[in-house]
């Protein structure tokens, strides 16, 4: 994840549980995730084919080559199910 929200999420995911209570950690994850909502898309995990260049943290999967999943500035879920 290469943006300020993504970096915050990664840092909190990797280090937050070590420094804060579970409740505090979940609240902070929720705050950061709400800021990322414009960049998060829900897809079915059934038969999902996203290639080898991704990172998963919790229920969020980051695609490094995310631009290729957009056609005419619209997210195209079908591309995720085609063998890359």
């Amino acid at each position: 994840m290469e943006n300020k929200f993504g970096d915050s999420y990664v840092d909190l995911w990797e280090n937050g549980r070590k420094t804060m209570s579970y409740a505090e950690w979940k609240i902070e994850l929720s705050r950061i995730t709400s800021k990322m909502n414009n960049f998060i898309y829900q897809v079915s995990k059934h038969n999902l084919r996203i290639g080898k260049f991704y990172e998963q943290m919790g229920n969020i999967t980051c695609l490094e080559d995310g631009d290729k999943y957009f056609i005419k500035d619209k997210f195209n879920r079908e591309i995720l199910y085609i063998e890359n």
Side-chain angles (χ1 to χ4, degrees):
M1 296 184 180
E2 296 181 7
N3 62 55
K4 64 181 179 178
F5 302 127
D7 292 341
S8 297
Y9 185 88
V10 170
D11 183 55
L12 187 61
W13 184 262
E14 292 176 348
N15 303 312
R17 287 296 307 272
K18 300 172 188 169
T19 59
M20 52 180 67
S21 72
Y22 180 78
E24 291 171 320
W25 180 71
K26 290 297 280 186
I27 290 168
E28 285 303 311
L29 279 178
S30 176
R31 286 183 184 152
I32 293 170
T33 302
S34 72
K35 292 177 183 176
M36 294 171 47
N37 275 340
N38 290 335
F39 311 100
I40 295 175
Y41 300 89
Q42 292 183 351
V43 296
S44 170
K45 291 183 181 179
H46 183 68
N47 292 329
L48 185 63
R49 305 237 193 286
I50 55 176
K52 59 184 176 183
F53 301 104
Y54 70 92
E55 182 177 359
Q56 186 164 3
M57 296 194 171
N59 62 351
I60 295 179
T61 301
C62 177
L63 303 173
E64 291 182 11
D65 55 350
D67 289 343
K68 79 177 193 179
Y69 299 100
F70 285 81
I71 295 177
K72 295 182 182 178
D73 296 329
K74 184 175 179 185
F75 181 62
N76 186 338
R77 287 171 173 77
E78 287 77 30
I79 296 174
L80 292 170
Y81 302 100
I82 299 171
E83 188 69 45
N84 293 317

